[in-house]
Amino acid sequence: MNIVLFGPPGSGKGTQATYIVNSKKLTHISTGDIFRKNISQNTKLGQLASDFMNKGQLVPDQLTIDLLETEIDTYKNSNGFIFDGFPRTLPQAEAFDKFLDTKNMSLDKIISLEVSEDELVARLLKRGLDSGRKDDQNSDIIRNRIKVYESQTSILKTYYVENLKDKFFTINGERTIDVITKDILDILLKD
């Protein structure tokens, strides 16, 4: 089973991905985690990604895709993947479709977590205090990240509805974690 979980920064993708991974025994692929790992290891790629992330901008498509492909190839015996925060742009989605074809893989479910901007800002500022993440400590940077999401990523809803309508689901992400998790697990049981 391969799942795309997307939504704006702070919508709960990482939290929900953890529950899904534990329930369905999938491999969690988070581009944010991949970027942070490379940043902490001070790789050339990490340095490039850091420049974009610290400004609240998306990491360029080709850089993201190359990293993702390398990461997937390290999990040859996986039961499937949950892609958290990827794809983020239409070119990434199109490149991702081609990559999945080369691996004889397909997407089984696409789940979008919907959360209001004010709630996202509040969540991310709290996360910034708790985690020390620089990109979560400034409301202007957070609001820019949300604007970038709205202009570049939210269009993927249309893309997936047009191409995989029966596999696309929207979830209200402003409820309790347990209620959201139950809704997602119910979706994953549908054929």
Side-chain angles (χ1 to χ4, degrees):
M1 177 177 282
N2 296 302
I3 303 163
V4 167
L5 184 62
F6 76 97
S11 61
K13 296 182 300 292
T15 299
Q16 292 302 325
T18 300
Y19 287 108
I20 296 167
V21 164
N22 291 335
S23 171
K24 298 295 182 184
K25 307 296 184 227
L26 302 175
T27 301
H28 182 203
I29 301 288
S30 163
T31 51
D33 288 347
I34 295 168
F35 295 149
R36 285 185 285 278
K37 177 175 79 173
N38 279 271
I39 290 167
S40 71
Q41 294 173 353
N42 203 31
T43 66
K44 185 175 181 178
L45 184 59
Q47 292 169 4
L48 290 170
S50 179
D51 290 341
F52 291 97
M53 291 171 69
N54 287 337
K55 295 174 188 168
Q57 299 173 344
L58 291 181
V59 175
D61 293 338
Q62 193 56 54
L63 187 61
T64 303
I65 292 163
D66 291 346
L67 260 175
L68 180 78
E69 290 180 7
T70 302
E71 190 74 12
I72 289 172
D73 286 342
T74 65
Y75 295 101
K76 301 236 183 265
N77 297 318
S78 178
N79 291 329
F81 298 92
I82 179 159
F83 298 96
D84 165 5
F86 183 87
R88 291 189 179 195
T89 65
L90 190 54
Q92 284 181 7
E94 292 166 343
F96 187 45
D97 288 344
K98 290 176 187 169
F99 171 73
L100 290 173
D101 284 344
T102 66
K103 298 290 184 184
N104 292 319
M105 297 168 59
S106 63
L107 291 177
D108 297 292
K109 308 285 180 182
I110 300 98
I111 300 171
S112 176
L113 296 173
E114 304 292 322
V115 181
S116 69
E117 183 173 337
D118 288 341
E119 177 66 17
L120 294 170
V121 172
R123 287 181 184 183
L124 291 170
L125 287 172
K126 181 180 182 323
R127 184 171 81 181
L129 289 173
D130 295 343
S131 71
R133 282 181 51 179
K134 290 169 86 174
D135 60 335
D136 286 343
Q137 294 179 3
N138 179 305
S139 62
D140 290 335
I141 289 175
I142 290 169
R143 288 191 189 278
N144 184 58
R145 288 167 57 202
I146 294 168
K147 284 180 187 167
V148 168
Y149 173 84
E150 288 301 325
S151 68
Q152 296 183 22
T153 305
S154 67
I155 60 172
L156 291 179
K157 293 177 203 172
T158 303
Y159 175 78
Y160 283 124
V161 166
E162 288 174 358
N163 293 291
L164 298 169
K165 185 177 186 170
D166 59 330
K167 298 179 181 185
F168 180 85
F169 301 88
T170 300
I171 300 263
N172 175 352
E174 292 196 32
R175 297 166 302 149
T176 65
I177 292 170
D178 291 341
V179 170
I180 296 167
T181 302
K182 182 189 177 308
D183 282 356
I184 291 173
L185 293 175
D186 287 348
I187 288 168
L188 298 182
L189 292 174
K190 294 179 183 178
D191 282 335

